[in-house]
Amino acid sequence: QVHLVESGGDVVQPGGSLRLSCAASGIAFSSFAMHWVRQAPGKGLEWVAVIASDGVFKSYADSVKGRFTISRDVSESTIYLQMSSLRTDDTAVYYCGPEDKSGSSLFEYWGQGTLVTVSS
Amino acid sequence: EVVMTQSPATLSVSPGETATLSCRASQSVNVALAWYQQKPGQAPRLLIYGASTRATGIPARFSGSGSGTEFTLTISSLQPEDSAVYYCQEYKNWPAFGQGTKVEIK
C-alpha cells in the first residue's frame, strides 16, 4: 500500500526559506518520477515541480522557477522541496505524489499535505 | 502552456439526478485527461484517467468522455456523498488543472 507523508510546513515571513519533505513507502521509489502540487486556501490545485526517477531531470512551474528546488534521496525514499524567497502567494497546502505506473503525470496517490503559511 | 477551463463553477443537483461537468483545454491533449474529486479537508482522489477509464474502486456512476479539447464528467444517480469539488487535469504536457466545479446536493 502506497503511503506518502509530507512534513516541514510552517509559518514563515516573506522572503524566508523552508524545506519540505515527502517520505514515500509501498512503491519502488527509485523507479518513479515524483511531483509536488500545491493548493492555496480556498483555491484550486497547482502543479509545482517534478523530479525524474534518476534525480537528474527537474522541471518547475513558472511561478516558482528560480526560487524552489526539488531533490530526492533514494536511500531515504524521500523527496524535498527547498523553498526560498517565499512570497505570500506561496501560502498553500503542499502535496507530493508519484507519477502513475504508466509514467504519466497523473496522481493516484496523495499524502495528507503540509501547510505553508507565508505571513509577516 | 495548456490552460484548462471548467464549467460551471457551481452545480446544484438533486439526489438521484445526473450531474454533467465540462472541461475544455486550450489546445489538444488527446485523451491525456484526468478527473479528481476533493472533499473539504481531504486530498484529491483520482476518479478518471485517459479521459474515460475509471480508477480503481470508483463507482460506475462516474463516467468520463471526450478527446482533444472537450471533456465531460458525468455523475449519474447522484448520491449525497458526491458533494465535492471536481477538478480536471491534463497530463499530455506538464500537469495543468482546471479551476474546479463545486457540486452541491439540493
Side-chain angles (χ1 to χ4, degrees):
Chain A
Q1 184 164 342
V2 179
H3 195 49
L4 301 159
V5 179
E6 301 95 338
S7 61
D10 205 345
V11 179
V12 60
Q13 292 190 337
S17 299
L18 202 60
R19 189 179 83 155
L20 306 182
S21 301
C22 165
S25 58
I27 62 169
F29 180 79
S30 61
S31 299
F32 290 91
M34 295 289 294
H35 298 254
W36 286 99
V37 173
R38 69 182 180 182
Q39 185 170 37
K43 303 297 185 182
L45 300 163
E46 180 189 18
W47 174 77
V48 173
V50 61
I51 183 167
S53 57
D54 63 4
V56 175
F57 177 80
K58 306 171 186 179
S59 186
Y60 301 90
D62 287 344
S63 58
V64 307
K65 200 171 295 183
R67 301 187 299 121
F68 290 12
T69 301
I70 190 171
S71 61
R72 64 193 294 157
D73 182 337
V74 174
S75 66
E76 297 289 335
S77 297
T78 298
I79 65 167
Y80 303 97
L81 189 66
Q82 180 67 49
M83 310 187 313
S84 60
S85 302
L86 282 161
R87 311 185 305 220
T88 55
D89 62 357
D90 294 317
T91 294
V93 174
Y94 285 72
Y95 297 99
C96 68
E99 62 182 355
D100 90 323
K101 293 182 287 294
S102 70
S104 298
S105 298
L106 63 99
F107 309 110
E108 183 176 7
Y109 303 107
W110 299 73
Q112 85 289 348
T114 188
L115 177 62
V116 173
T117 302
V118 184
S119 173
S120 54
Chain B
E1 177 190 347
V2 180
V3 177
M4 307 301 292
T5 303
Q6 292 185 240
S7 62
T10 304
L11 193 56
S12 187
V13 183
S14 298
E17 295 190 340
T18 296
T20 302
L21 288 66
S22 296
C23 174
R24 173 176 294 177
S26 60
Q27 63 190 71
S28 177
V29 298
N30 297 331
V31 292
L33 192 285
W35 290 94
Y36 299 85
Q37 176 193 65
Q38 188 179 34
K39 298 181 179 180
Q42 297 183 16
R45 178 174 71 147
L46 178 66
L47 297 176
I48 300 284
Y49 63 94
S52 61
T53 302
R54 277 188 300 278
T56 303
I58 301 304
R61 65 178 185 275
F62 291 91
S63 63
S65 64
S67 65
T69 61
E70 300 284 342
F71 301 90
T72 300
L73 174 69
T74 302
I75 313 172
S76 305
S77 302
L78 205 72
Q79 304 294 307
E81 61 265 29
D82 299 333
S83 177
V85 179
Y86 292 83
Y87 295 96
C88 62
Q89 179 224 328
E90 74 94 357
Y91 54 93
K92 180 176 183 290
N93 308 282
W94 292 122
F97 294 89
Q99 79 278 20
T101 290
K102 184 176 183 179
V103 173
E104 299 177 337
I105 310 298
K106 284 183 182 176

